[in-house]
PDB file of all heavy atoms in Angstrom:
ATOM      1  N   ASP B1530      23.827 -51.084 -40.354  1.00 82.00           N
ATOM      2  CA  ASP B1530      25.257 -50.833 -40.542  1.00 82.00           C
ATOM      3  C   ASP B1530      25.905 -52.002 -41.277  1.00 82.00           C
ATOM      4  O   ASP B1530      27.069 -52.330 -41.054  1.00 82.00           O
ATOM      5  CB  ASP B1530      25.943 -50.600 -39.193  1.00 82.00           C
ATOM      6  CG  ASP B1530      27.290 -49.895 -39.346  1.00 82.00           C
ATOM      7  OD1 ASP B1530      27.558 -49.351 -40.440  1.00 82.00           O
ATOM      8  OD2 ASP B1530      28.079 -49.897 -38.383  1.00 82.00           O
ATOM      9  N   TYR B1531      25.139 -52.627 -42.179  1.00 88.00           N
ATOM     10  CA  TYR B1531      25.638 -53.797 -42.914  1.00 88.00           C
ATOM     11  C   TYR B1531      26.414 -53.313 -44.139  1.00 88.00           C
ATOM     12  O   TYR B1531      25.889 -53.175 -45.226  1.00 88.00           O
ATOM     13  CB  TYR B1531      24.471 -54.696 -43.323  1.00 88.00           C
ATOM     14  CG  TYR B1531      24.904 -55.960 -44.045  1.00 88.00           C
ATOM     15  CD1 TYR B1531      25.573 -56.972 -43.361  1.00 88.00           C
ATOM     16  CD2 TYR B1531      24.664 -56.127 -45.393  1.00 88.00           C
ATOM     17  CE1 TYR B1531      25.976 -58.132 -44.006  1.00 88.00           C
ATOM     18  CE2 TYR B1531      25.062 -57.286 -46.054  1.00 88.00           C
ATOM     19  CZ  TYR B1531      25.712 -58.272 -45.365  1.00 88.00           C
ATOM     20  OH  TYR B1531      26.113 -59.417 -46.011  1.00 88.00           O
ATOM     21  N   GLN B1532      27.708 -53.057 -43.940  1.00 91.00           N
ATOM     22  CA  GLN B1532      28.554 -52.526 -45.007  1.00 91.00           C
ATOM     23  C   GLN B1532      29.485 -53.610 -45.557  1.00 91.00           C
ATOM     24  O   GLN B1532      30.605 -53.324 -45.965  1.00 91.00           O
ATOM     25  CB  GLN B1532      29.358 -51.338 -44.488  1.00 91.00           C
ATOM     26  CG  GLN B1532      28.477 -50.184 -44.012  1.00 91.00           C
ATOM     27  CD  GLN B1532      29.291 -49.009 -43.523  1.00 91.00           C
ATOM     28  OE1 GLN B1532      29.827 -48.224 -44.305  1.00 91.00           O
ATOM     29  NE2 GLN B1532      29.395 -48.878 -42.208  1.00 91.00           N
ATOM     30  N   ALA B1533      29.021 -54.845 -45.564  1.00 93.00           N
ATOM     31  CA  ALA B1533      29.812 -55.952 -46.088  1.00 93.00           C
ATOM     32  C   ALA B1533      29.877 -55.878 -47.611  1.00 93.00           C
ATOM     33  O   ALA B1533      28.884 -55.585 -48.272  1.00 93.00           O
ATOM     34  CB  ALA B1533      29.202 -57.281 -45.654  1.00 93.00           C
ATOM     35  N   CYS B1534      31.058 -56.158 -48.158  1.00 96.00           N
ATOM     36  CA  CYS B1534      31.270 -56.087 -49.601  1.00 96.00           C
ATOM     37  C   CYS B1534      31.887 -57.390 -50.097  1.00 96.00           C
ATOM     38  O   CYS B1534      32.792 -57.937 -49.471  1.00 96.00           O
ATOM     39  CB  CYS B1534      32.205 -54.923 -49.958  1.00 96.00           C
ATOM     40  SG  CYS B1534      31.506 -53.298 -49.629  1.00 96.00           S
ATOM     41  N   GLY B1535      31.404 -57.857 -51.243  1.00 97.00           N
ATOM     42  CA  GLY B1535      31.876 -59.116 -51.786  1.00 97.00           C
ATOM     43  C   GLY B1535      32.305 -59.002 -53.234  1.00 97.00           C
ATOM     44  O   GLY B1535      32.152 -57.967 -53.885  1.00 97.00           O
ATOM     45  N   CYS B1536      32.860 -60.105 -53.724  1.00 98.00           N
ATOM     46  CA  CYS B1536      33.234 -60.265 -55.120  1.00 98.00           C
ATOM     47  C   CYS B1536      32.368 -61.394 -55.661  1.00 98.00           C
ATOM     48  O   CYS B1536      32.532 -62.550 -55.264  1.00 98.00           O
ATOM     49  CB  CYS B1536      34.717 -60.613 -55.238  1.00 98.00           C
ATOM     50  SG  CYS B1536      35.277 -60.981 -56.913  1.00 98.00           S
ATOM     51  N   HIS B1537      31.423 -61.072 -56.542  1.00 97.00           N
ATOM     52  CA  HIS B1537      30.452 -62.032 -57.048  1.00 97.00           C
ATOM     53  C   HIS B1537      30.826 -62.431 -58.476  1.00 97.00           C
ATOM     54  O   HIS B1537      31.038 -61.563 -59.329  1.00 97.00           O
ATOM     55  CB  HIS B1537      29.045 -61.433 -57.047  1.00 97.00           C
ATOM     56  CG  HIS B1537      28.569 -60.995 -55.699  1.00 97.00           C
ATOM     57  ND1 HIS B1537      27.296 -60.503 -55.476  1.00 97.00           N
ATOM     58  CD2 HIS B1537      29.185 -60.977 -54.480  1.00 97.00           C
ATOM     59  CE1 HIS B1537      27.155 -60.203 -54.198  1.00 97.00           C
ATOM     60  NE2 HIS B1537      28.298 -60.470 -53.571  1.00 97.00           N
ATOM     61  N   VAL B1538      30.890 -63.725 -58.714  1.00 98.00           N
ATOM     62  CA  VAL B1538      31.295 -64.252 -60.019  1.00 98.00           C
ATOM     63  C   VAL B1538      30.107 -64.936 -60.676  1.00 98.00           C
ATOM     64  O   VAL B1538      29.445 -65.772 -60.063  1.00 98.00           O
ATOM     65  CB  VAL B1538      32.455 -65.254 -59.872  1.00 98.00           C
ATOM     66  CG1 VAL B1538      32.857 -65.811 -61.233  1.00 98.00           C
ATOM     67  CG2 VAL B1538      33.652 -64.606 -59.178  1.00 98.00           C
ATOM     68  N   HIS B1539      29.834 -64.588 -61.936  1.00 97.00           N
ATOM     69  CA  HIS B1539      28.802 -65.238 -62.747  1.00 97.00           C
ATOM     70  C   HIS B1539      29.476 -66.071 -63.835  1.00 97.00           C
ATOM     71  O   HIS B1539      30.378 -65.587 -64.511  1.00 97.00           O
ATOM     72  CB  HIS B1539      27.904 -64.201 -63.419  1.00 97.00           C
ATOM     73  CG  HIS B1539      26.959 -63.503 -62.486  1.00 97.00           C
ATOM     74  ND1 HIS B1539      25.638 -63.853 -62.376  1.00 97.00           N
ATOM     75  CD2 HIS B1539      27.145 -62.474 -61.628  1.00 97.00           C
ATOM     76  CE1 HIS B1539      25.042 -63.069 -61.495  1.00 97.00           C
ATOM     77  NE2 HIS B1539      25.945 -62.220 -61.019  1.00 97.00           N
ATOM     78  N   VAL B1540      29.013 -67.301 -64.002  1.00 97.00           N
ATOM     79  CA  VAL B1540      29.510 -68.175 -65.065  1.00 97.00           C
ATOM     80  C   VAL B1540      28.317 -68.727 -65.834  1.00 97.00           C
ATOM     81  O   VAL B1540      27.356 -69.221 -65.237  1.00 97.00           O
ATOM     82  CB  VAL B1540      30.358 -69.331 -64.498  1.00 97.00           C
ATOM     83  CG1 VAL B1540      30.842 -70.239 -65.632  1.00 97.00           C
ATOM     84  CG2 VAL B1540      31.546 -68.792 -63.707  1.00 97.00           C
ATOM     85  N   GLY B1541      28.376 -68.647 -67.157  1.00 96.00           N
ATOM     86  CA  GLY B1541      27.274 -69.087 -67.993  1.00 96.00           C
ATOM     87  C   GLY B1541      27.055 -70.588 -67.927  1.00 96.00           C
ATOM     88  O   GLY B1541      28.005 -71.378 -67.887  1.00 96.00           O
ATOM     89  N   VAL B1542      25.798 -70.994 -67.899  1.00 96.00           N
ATOM     90  CA  VAL B1542      25.402 -72.407 -67.913  1.00 96.00           C
ATOM     91  C   VAL B1542      24.277 -72.583 -68.930  1.00 96.00           C
ATOM     92  O   VAL B1542      23.618 -71.615 -69.315  1.00 96.00           O
ATOM     93  CB  VAL B1542      24.946 -72.887 -66.516  1.00 96.00           C
ATOM     94  CG1 VAL B1542      26.114 -72.942 -65.543  1.00 96.00           C
ATOM     95  CG2 VAL B1542      23.843 -71.983 -65.969  1.00 96.00           C
ATOM     96  N   PRO B1543      24.024 -73.822 -69.378  1.00 94.00           N
ATOM     97  CA  PRO B1543      23.041 -74.028 -70.450  1.00 94.00           C
ATOM     98  C   PRO B1543      21.618 -73.669 -70.068  1.00 94.00           C
ATOM     99  O   PRO B1543      20.859 -73.148 -70.886  1.00 94.00           O
ATOM    100  CB  PRO B1543      23.165 -75.528 -70.745  1.00 94.00           C
ATOM    101  CG  PRO B1543      24.498 -75.929 -70.239  1.00 94.00           C
ATOM    102  CD  PRO B1543      24.764 -75.063 -69.061  1.00 94.00           C
ATOM    103  N   ASP B1544      21.194 -73.974 -68.824  1.00 94.00           N
ATOM    104  CA  ASP B1544      19.810 -73.743 -68.432  1.00 94.00           C
ATOM    105  C   ASP B1544      19.719 -73.781 -66.909  1.00 94.00           C
ATOM    106  O   ASP B1544      20.698 -74.033 -66.207  1.00 94.00           O
ATOM    107  CB  ASP B1544      18.867 -74.781 -69.060  1.00 94.00           C
ATOM    108  CG  ASP B1544      19.310 -76.211 -68.816  1.00 94.00           C
ATOM    109  OD1 ASP B1544      19.602 -76.552 -67.644  1.00 94.00           O
ATOM    110  OD2 ASP B1544      19.392 -76.987 -69.780  1.00 94.00           O
ATOM    111  N   ARG B1545      18.509 -73.557 -66.413  1.00 95.00           N
ATOM    112  CA  ARG B1545      18.319 -73.465 -64.970  1.00 95.00           C
ATOM    113  C   ARG B1545      18.516 -74.809 -64.269  1.00 95.00           C
ATOM    114  O   ARG B1545      19.019 -74.864 -63.143  1.00 95.00           O
ATOM    115  CB  ARG B1545      16.931 -72.897 -64.666  1.00 95.00           C
ATOM    116  CG  ARG B1545      16.740 -72.510 -63.205  1.00 95.00           C
ATOM    117  CD  ARG B1545      15.490 -71.663 -63.010  1.00 95.00           C
ATOM    118  NE  ARG B1545      15.300 -71.320 -61.610  1.00 95.00           N
ATOM    119  CZ  ARG B1545      15.960 -70.362 -60.969  1.00 95.00           C
ATOM    120  NH1 ARG B1545      16.859 -69.647 -61.628  1.00 95.00           N
ATOM    121  NH2 ARG B1545      15.728 -70.119 -59.695  1.00 95.00           N
ATOM    122  N   GLU B1546      18.093 -75.898 -64.903  1.00 96.00           N
ATOM    123  CA  GLU B1546      18.331 -77.210 -64.302  1.00 96.00           C
ATOM    124  C   GLU B1546      19.824 -77.452 -64.128  1.00 96.00           C
ATOM    125  O   GLU B1546      20.270 -77.955 -63.089  1.00 96.00           O
ATOM    126  CB  GLU B1546      17.721 -78.314 -65.168  1.00 96.00           C
ATOM    127  CG  GLU B1546      16.204 -78.362 -65.167  1.00 96.00           C
ATOM    128  CD  GLU B1546      15.621 -78.790 -63.820  1.00 96.00           C
ATOM    129  OE1 GLU B1546      16.365 -79.352 -62.986  1.00 96.00           O
ATOM    130  OE2 GLU B1546      14.422 -78.557 -63.602  1.00 96.00           O
ATOM    131  N   ALA B1547      20.599 -77.098 -65.145  1.00 96.00           N
ATOM    132  CA  ALA B1547      22.050 -77.250 -65.040  1.00 96.00           C
ATOM    133  C   ALA B1547      22.601 -76.361 -63.930  1.00 96.00           C
ATOM    134  O   ALA B1547      23.508 -76.772 -63.186  1.00 96.00           O
ATOM    135  CB  ALA B1547      22.714 -76.919 -66.371  1.00 96.00           C
ATOM    136  N   ALA B1548      22.057 -75.149 -63.794  1.00 97.00           N
ATOM    137  CA  ALA B1548      22.551 -74.239 -62.763  1.00 97.00           C
ATOM    138  C   ALA B1548      22.371 -74.832 -61.372  1.00 97.00           C
ATOM    139  O   ALA B1548      23.288 -74.791 -60.536  1.00 97.00           O
ATOM    140  CB  ALA B1548      21.820 -72.901 -62.864  1.00 97.00           C
ATOM    141  N   VAL B1549      21.197 -75.399 -61.100  1.00 97.00           N
ATOM    142  CA  VAL B1549      20.947 -75.980 -59.781  1.00 97.00           C
ATOM    143  C   VAL B1549      21.866 -77.179 -59.542  1.00 97.00           C
ATOM    144  O   VAL B1549      22.439 -77.339 -58.457  1.00 97.00           O
ATOM    145  CB  VAL B1549      19.463 -76.388 -59.644  1.00 97.00           C
ATOM    146  CG1 VAL B1549      19.235 -77.196 -58.372  1.00 97.00           C
ATOM    147  CG2 VAL B1549      18.583 -75.144 -59.648  1.00 97.00           C
ATOM    148  N   ALA B1550      22.045 -78.022 -60.550  1.00 97.00           N
ATOM    149  CA  ALA B1550      22.920 -79.185 -60.407  1.00 97.00           C
ATOM    150  C   ALA B1550      24.373 -78.766 -60.201  1.00 97.00           C
ATOM    151  O   ALA B1550      25.114 -79.397 -59.431  1.00 97.00           O
ATOM    152  CB  ALA B1550      22.793 -80.079 -61.629  1.00 97.00           C
ATOM    153  N   VAL B1551      24.802 -77.709 -60.884  1.00 98.00           N
ATOM    154  CA  VAL B1551      26.167 -77.211 -60.703  1.00 98.00           C
ATOM    155  C   VAL B1551      26.361 -76.686 -59.285  1.00 98.00           C
ATOM    156  O   VAL B1551      27.395 -76.942 -58.647  1.00 98.00           O
ATOM    157  CB  VAL B1551      26.471 -76.116 -61.744  1.00 98.00           C
ATOM    158  CG1 VAL B1551      27.731 -75.332 -61.345  1.00 98.00           C
ATOM    159  CG2 VAL B1551      26.664 -76.718 -63.120  1.00 98.00           C
ATOM    160  N   VAL B1552      25.381 -75.965 -58.757  1.00 98.00           N
ATOM    161  CA  VAL B1552      25.482 -75.463 -57.389  1.00 98.00           C
ATOM    162  C   VAL B1552      25.673 -76.619 -56.410  1.00 98.00           C
ATOM    163  O   VAL B1552      26.455 -76.518 -55.452  1.00 98.00           O
ATOM    164  CB  VAL B1552      24.245 -74.620 -57.028  1.00 98.00           C
ATOM    165  CG1 VAL B1552      24.195 -74.329 -55.526  1.00 98.00           C
ATOM    166  CG2 VAL B1552      24.258 -73.302 -57.803  1.00 98.00           C
ATOM    167  N   ASN B1553      24.986 -77.725 -56.633  1.00 98.00           N
ATOM    168  CA  ASN B1553      25.198 -78.898 -55.777  1.00 98.00           C
ATOM    169  C   ASN B1553      26.661 -79.325 -55.779  1.00 98.00           C
ATOM    170  O   ASN B1553      27.225 -79.667 -54.729  1.00 98.00           O
ATOM    171  CB  ASN B1553      24.334 -80.059 -56.265  1.00 98.00           C
ATOM    172  CG  ASN B1553      22.855 -79.863 -55.994  1.00 98.00           C
ATOM    173  OD1 ASN B1553      22.461 -79.087 -55.127  1.00 98.00           O
ATOM    174  ND2 ASN B1553      22.023 -80.577 -56.735  1.00 98.00           N
TER     175      ASN B1553
END
Side-chain angles (χ1 to χ4, degrees):
D1530 199 14
Y1531 182 70
Q1532 299 181 78
C1534 293
C1536 175
H1537 301 184
V1538 179
H1539 287 260
V1540 179
V1542 291
D1544 52 49
R1545 191 167 179 79
E1546 289 292 343
V1549 171
V1551 165
V1552 168
N1553 289 339

